[in-house]
Amino acid sequence: MSREERRDLTRKKLFDAAAEIVGRYGYAEASIQEITRRAGVAMGTFYNYFDSRQDLLDQLLPTIGEEMYAHIRKTLAGLTDEVAREEGRFRAFFEFIALRPEFYRILHEAEQFAPEGFRLHMTNISAGYVRALERARGSGVIKGYETSELEVIAYMLMAARDYVSMRFCVTRAGVKRLPDEVVGTYMRLLTEGLFNGKPRKRASKAKGGSE
C-alpha cells in the first residue's frame, strides 16, 4: 500500500467513525477522543487530516452526500427516459439511507451543529437536481416552467424525500424498505399533477356474489 493509499484509508476510518457516532448518538457526542478511539488511530493523527473537530463535522454531511449522489448516478446508468430516471432517483435515495442509516440523523442535526457542511450539502444536492430537471425540460418532459422555477421544484422534491422517509422508512429499529405503493403515489403526483390529474376508474365491487 502506497503512502497516499494509507492516508486515504486513515481519513476514511476517521470519517466512518464520526458517521457512526453522529448517526447513533448525535453530533454532541462526537468528540475527537471518541472518533479516534473508534477509528483505531492516535489522537495526534487526527490533526494530520482535520484542523479541528468542527472541520471534520462540517465535512461529514457533504462527504456522505457525495456517496449518495454517486449511488444515485450508478442506479440511473443506462436509463434515458426522464420519467424512469426520476423514479430511479426516488428509489435510489431510499436504498441509500438503508445502506447508510446514519445519514438521516447526520442530515437533520447538521443545520445546528455543522451549518457550513449543511449549506454546502444542500447547495451540492440541489444543483445536481436542477441539472436533472433542466435535462428533462430540454427533452420536453417538463413544460411551461422557467429556469428560475426549477430550483423551487428541486427543493420541493427534496423535501418530499425527507418527509416520506420520516413517515414510511425511518424507525427506532432501523430503516425499512420503501413500499412500492408509496413510489407509485409519488410518481402519479409528478406525472399527472395534483390538480390536473384525471380520476382513476375503480373496479366496482360485486354485491351478493358474482355478477
Side-chain angles (χ1 to χ4, degrees):
M1 186 179 293
S2 68
R3 183 178 180 181
E4 190 63 31
E5 288 173 332
R6 288 197 299 271
R7 282 186 60 83
D8 289 345
L9 179 59
T10 301
R11 184 181 179 85
K12 184 179 186 304
K13 286 180 178 179
L14 291 167
F15 264 119
D16 287 346
E20 181 185 351
I21 295 166
V22 175
R24 183 173 297 183
Y25 305 109
Y27 281 87
E29 298 301 318
S31 65
I32 294 175
Q33 181 178 5
E34 184 60 19
I35 291 169
T36 52
R37 186 187 70 80
R38 286 184 183 240
V41 302
M43 279 189 66
T45 303
F46 179 91
Y47 294 98
N48 294 331
Y49 298 88
F50 305 101
D51 294 336
S52 63
R53 170 183 177 274
Q54 191 62 50
D55 181 32
L56 168 57
L57 297 183
D58 278 331
Q59 292 186 47
L60 187 59
L61 177 58
T63 299
I64 297 180
E66 285 297 324
E67 289 181 25
M68 179 183 72
Y69 199 46
H71 175 79
I72 293 173
R73 285 199 305 269
K74 183 178 179 180
T75 300
L76 299 183
L79 291 177
T80 56
D81 179 81
E82 293 298 335
V83 175
R85 286 176 66 85
E86 176 54 31
E87 181 174 340
R89 277 189 289 271
F90 190 68
R91 289 183 181 276
F93 171 82
F94 293 96
E95 290 172 2
F96 181 78
I97 63 173
L99 293 171
R100 273 285 213 175
E102 63 268 29
F103 172 76
Y104 191 78
R105 186 165 186 172
I106 290 169
L107 172 64
H108 280 263
E109 290 192 9
E111 189 171 12
Q112 178 181 356
F113 292 97
E116 292 299 322
F118 179 79
R119 282 191 288 271
L120 179 58
H121 170 75
M122 297 303 289
T123 298
N124 291 343
I125 298 301
S126 62
Y129 219 145
V130 168
R131 288 193 297 270
L133 295 173
E134 286 174 339
R135 185 172 55 247
R137 188 180 64 170
S139 68
V141 176
I142 294 177
K143 300 176 182 178
Y145 289 94
E146 301 295 328
T147 300
S148 59
E149 294 178 292
L150 297 182
E151 185 179 12
V152 178
I153 295 171
Y155 272 89
M156 288 177 175
L157 299 181
M158 288 159 60
R161 285 155 170 67
D162 191 23
Y163 280 91
V164 167
S165 63
M166 186 185 302
R167 169 61 181 84
F168 295 101
C169 294
V170 179
T171 69
R172 290 182 180 274
V175 178
K176 299 189 300 182
R177 179 182 178 276
L178 182 69
D180 287 337
E181 57 266 27
V182 175
V183 179
T185 300
Y186 174 83
M187 292 306 300
R188 184 179 173 222
L189 177 66
L190 263 59
T191 56
E192 296 183 11
L194 183 61
F195 297 110
N196 294 322
K198 296 178 181 179
R200 289 183 295 181
K201 292 182 179 179
R202 299 185 180 276
S204 58
K205 294 182 179 179
K207 296 181 180 179
S210 331
E211 292 184 351

